[in-house]
Amino acid sequence: MARILVTGGAGFIGSHLVDELLKKKHKVFVVDDLSVGKKEFLNSHAKFAKMKIQAPQLLKLFRKESFEYVYHLAAQKNLQYSKEHPVEDAETNIVGSLRVIEAAKKFNVRKIIFYSTAAVYNPDSTPPNKESDTLQPITPYGIAKSVIESYLQISRLSYTVLRLSNVYGPRQDADGEGGVIAVFCKKLANKKPPQIYNTGRQTRDYIYVADVVKASLRSMTKGNNEILNISTGKETTVNSLYKTLAHLSNTHITAIRGKKVTEQIRSSLANTKAKNILTWSPSINLNLGLQKTYNWFIEQTWQT
Ligand SMILES: NC(=O)c1ccc[n+]([C@@H]2O[C@H](COP(=O)([O-])OP(=O)(O)OC[C@H]3O[C@@H](n4cnc5c(N)ncnc54)[C@H](O)[C@@H]3O)[C@@H](O)[C@H]2O)c1
């Protein structure tokens, strides 16, 4: 049983991680400013402070709670917002993350697990990206994540960096710049047609949230000072994603097409390193993951 801080623990991935850590009888403390995260996602057995990670009180919390492990997920994760508001993005994603790292160093945290992104790679490179590929982020969000990876490497803290591909599952935000699966599920659950941008042949590497949580738990004891892609290594087109969702939801609504936007054409991350080092592999296939996610969005429509 360890004393664990989860920053961003009221968010999509963080709240699932908190649930699993508590099941394993760890003592879990969550720091989240609830800018995106929701109180109802937060497990009532976790201790909670509504706080920004960049706030000076964070140090006091580290002093008081003597955390042994830190899972650092709190982030401004909207790419478009990061382009329009790079300073605000950096305040959370760079300065806030540095505050977490400095506090972890000062109070002798045993290990920090940091959540990075596919957005650190060159978007025009041929997938799947490997961890050894040259980094070439083109958004403030991607730059901030790669900068924090570098800080961790010189921090003398024990760390694991998890570079996540496109995560999906229950509790994902379907508003704003939400993941495409969440957006499609919400539309279909409300019997409305989703919009497919560009040709629909653009690809992403979709990984189910429970598989990310499983890799996160393994990272407590494995993968010291490693950077690992957490992904399926498979590319799925938006067209095929939509076809599967329309079928399993039994809606067969025709998607709206025609809108052109600038976006990455292909994306996927090789996961061989994580498989070897964490003795982990993703176990939820896309069909099952989509079904679970869609079911959750249906439950949400009943609750409103
Ligand atoms: N979802 C994905 O596909 C994906 C992919 C790659 C990387 N990641 C990374 O994984 C982590 C979790 O992502 P998520 O999808 O669960 O996002 P999320 O937005 O649901 O969770 C982030 C949480 O951080 C909180 N937060 C934001 N700014 C904060 C601040 N300054 N202080 C305290 N709390 C703050 C939000 O309220 C939210 O609960 C993030 O670091 C994100 O960059 C996610």
Side-chain angles (χ1 to χ4, degrees):
M1 189 175 73
R3 301 177 66 79
I4 301 177
L5 170 66
V6 180
T7 73
F12 163 45
I13 302 170
S15 64
H16 287 284
L17 173 64
V18 168
D19 290 345
E20 289 308 308
L21 289 170
L22 286 166
K23 274 190 207 159
K24 298 213 174 294
K25 307 285 178 218
H26 294 299
K27 291 203 163 167
V28 181
F29 202 113
V30 169
V31 166
D32 196 300
D33 67 355
L34 300 182
S35 53
V36 174
K38 295 194 173 68
K39 207 62 190 285
E40 63 260 33
F41 294 166
L42 195 59
N43 194 303
S44 59
H45 297 290
K47 284 170 96 179
F48 174 60
K50 181 172 183 278
M51 191 192 287
K52 286 201 175 295
I53 49 170
Q54 54 272 49
Q57 297 93 300
L58 190 76
L59 265 185
K60 287 186 196 151
L61 195 72
F62 269 81
R63 179 177 291 120
K64 183 162 171 267
E65 299 290 335
S66 311
F67 301 122
E68 295 164 276
Y69 296 88
V70 173
Y71 286 92
H72 176 38
L73 296 99
Q76 186 306 106
K77 65 160 195 306
N78 185 318
L79 264 77
Q80 191 53 37
Y81 189 87
S82 83
K83 289 189 204 169
E84 287 158 13
H85 306 274
V87 175
E88 277 178 47
D89 181 80
E91 274 164 4
T92 293
N93 293 352
I94 299 182
V95 177
S97 294
L98 281 178
R99 297 251 184 242
V100 175
I101 292 171
E102 285 302 292
K105 270 163 66 178
K106 186 161 184 185
F107 293 101
N108 302 315
V109 163
R110 287 167 66 176
K111 183 166 188 183
I112 178 167
I113 293 101
F114 174 62
Y115 291 76
S116 187
T117 165
V120 296
Y121 295 113
N122 178 350
D124 295 325
S125 55
T126 306
N129 285 110
K130 292 196 187 71
E131 291 85 347
S132 53
D133 287 358
T134 312
L135 302 192
Q136 210 176 312
I138 59 155
T139 57
Y141 170 79
I143 292 169
K145 292 286 187 180
S146 78
V147 162
I148 294 304
E149 290 186 3
S150 301
Y151 273 112
L152 280 171
Q153 286 170 313
I154 59 155
S155 70
R156 296 191 309 276
L157 267 174
S158 178
Y159 68 85
T160 301
V161 169
L162 304 178
R163 285 185 188 151
L164 311 181
S165 62
N166 288 68
V167 189
Y168 72 99
R171 301 182 188 158
Q172 188 166 27
D173 188 10
D175 301 315
E177 206 191 48
V180 64
I181 292 178
V183 173
F184 283 4
C185 284
K186 188 172 180 182
K187 286 278 185 194
L188 290 176
N190 289 291
K191 308 260 178 291
K192 295 200 176 111
Q195 217 182 126
I196 295 179
Y197 298 152
N198 300 326
T199 61
R201 290 196 291 273
Q202 59 275 33
T203 68
R204 296 294 180 268
D205 179 337
Y206 298 103
I207 183 150
Y208 190 66
V209 65
D211 283 323
V212 173
V213 169
K214 204 166 72 173
S216 304
L217 296 182
R218 293 277 160 89
S219 301
M220 246 174 107
T221 51
K222 293 174 188 278
N224 270 5
N225 302 342
E226 297 283 358
I227 295 181
L228 304 170
N229 288 340
I230 301 299
S231 60
T232 67
K234 294 178 189 143
E235 287 179 78
T236 303
T237 66
V238 174
N239 285 336
S240 118
L241 192 70
Y242 186 66
K243 201 171 153 197
T244 311
L245 269 175
H247 177 73
L248 68 82
S249 63
N250 209 17
T251 50
H252 304 287
I253 294 169
T254 306
I256 301 164
R257 289 177 183 268
K259 187 167 173 184
K260 299 273 176 271
V261 299
T262 309
E263 67 172 335
Q264 192 170 341
I265 310 291
R266 294 176 64 192
S267 177
S268 123
L269 305 182
N271 62 9
T272 313
K273 192 177 170 192
K275 280 180 168 168
N276 291 335
I277 289 182
L278 299 180
T279 53
W280 160 94
S281 63
S283 56
I284 309 285
N285 70 39
L286 190 60
N287 274 18
L288 179 59
L290 289 176
Q291 184 71 64
K292 285 169 176 275
T293 309
Y294 180 71
N295 290 351
W296 184 80
F297 276 92
I298 286 286
E299 281 168 27
Q300 302 311 296
T301 61
W302 290 340
Q303 284 171 18
T304 51

